[in-house]
């Protein structure tokens, strides 16, 4: 921490306060220090501000259990870096702290894919909750197009690919979990004329749903993008 001068030393003192009562081992202390040092390295000296004490101590507590090189550890480091950066403090929402601990690596990849297109779609068999295979999805979508933001767009280019996930069979579970966390939303609303053609496209065996990050989810992604980009 000394390499960051007085700012780093003040952070180190705060860390000692949270670790002293539980007589943290040198290994755990080193893990926390490495996480905080990594966060500091991401913020230029002229932009550094002291983060909220509550958030600082909570992240220190989380880093006791997660190495800063793990996915969850990287997310905590990104949240900390944002909280001490004058240009990013608005991204460091305190509600992100409990969310990070609930994310699997598959769900982090899910968020990354949703950030790449606005919106994405997923295809579901109307008769069951079995995953639609890549072959079935491509045969169904083929050359189908739909006006997205007034631009005729190939639906196949917007389709999520469950087979990319480590546990593709959990695809629908991930959708519901991320939705409950407030990070994504989905719909297949047929309430106006534009949706009439959508209803025609889904009149057969398969249904299609639009899915995208919520504003809250996009803020979370912007705050932690560096960690998610390296999945």
């Amino acid at each position: 921490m000394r390499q960051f001068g007085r700012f780093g030393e003040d952070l180190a003192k705060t860390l000692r306060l949270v670790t002293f009562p539980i007589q943290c081992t040198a290994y755990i202390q080193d893990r926390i220090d490495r996480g905080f040092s990594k966060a500091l390295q991401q913020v230029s000296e002229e932009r550094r501000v002291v983060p909220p004490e509550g958030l600082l101590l909570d992240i220190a507590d989380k880093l006791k259990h997660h190495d800063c090189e793990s996915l969850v550890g990287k997310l905590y480091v990104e949240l900390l870096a944002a909280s001490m950066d004058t240009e990013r403090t608005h991204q460091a929402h305190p509600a992100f702290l409990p969310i990070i601990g609930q994310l699997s690596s598959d769900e982090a990849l899910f968020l990354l894919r949703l950030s790449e297109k606005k919106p994405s779609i997923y295809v579901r068999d109307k008769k069951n909750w079995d995953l639609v295979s890549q072959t079935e999805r491509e045969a169904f979508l083929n050359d189908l197009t739909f006006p997205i933001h007034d631009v005729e767009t190939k639906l196949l280019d917007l389709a999520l690919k469950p087979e990319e996930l480590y546990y593709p069979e959990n695809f629908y579970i991930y959708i519901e979990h991320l939705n409950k966390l407030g990070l994504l939303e989905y719909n297949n609303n047929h309430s106006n004329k534009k949706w009439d053609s959508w209803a025609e496209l889904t009149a057969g065996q398969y249904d299609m749903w639009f899915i995208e990050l919520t504003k809250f989810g996009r803020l979370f992604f912007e705050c932690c993008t560096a960690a998610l980009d390296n999945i």
Side-chain angles (χ1 to χ4, degrees), residues 167-178:
Y167 296 110
E169 62 272 20
N170 289 343
F171 181 71
Y172 297 120
I173 295 174
Y174 297 149
I175 290 175
E176 293 305 318
H177 184 222
L178 293 171

Side-chain angles (χ1 to χ4, degrees), residues 115-173:
S115 74
E116 294 169 346
K117 298 180 177 67
K118 304 177 186 179
S120 298
I121 66 167
Y122 67 93
V123 179
R124 188 179 76 83
D125 193 318
K126 292 180 179 179
K127 297 180 180 179
N128 55 58
W129 288 95
D130 294 339
L131 276 181
V132 176
S133 70
Q134 179 179 356
T135 302
E136 293 171 323
R137 182 179 65 246
E138 291 177 353
F140 168 60
L141 294 177
N142 196 13
D143 292 324
L144 293 179
T145 63
F146 192 77
I148 307 293
H149 306 306
D150 298 322
V151 177
E152 204 67 25
T153 306
K154 288 189 64 173
L155 292 176
L156 189 58
D157 294 338
L158 302 179
L160 292 172
K161 302 173 182 178
E163 61 273 8
E164 288 185 334
L165 303 173
Y166 191 75
Y167 296 110
E169 62 272 20
N170 289 343
F171 181 71
Y172 297 120
I173 295 174

Side-chain angles (χ1 to χ4, degrees), residues 44-64:
S44 59
E45 188 172 353
E46 64 274 10
R47 284 164 42 187
R48 289 176 193 160
V49 292
V50 178
E53 184 176 345
L55 183 64
L56 180 71
L57 296 179
D58 284 342
I59 293 177
D61 185 62
K62 297 297 184 183
L63 287 174
K64 290 187 301 184

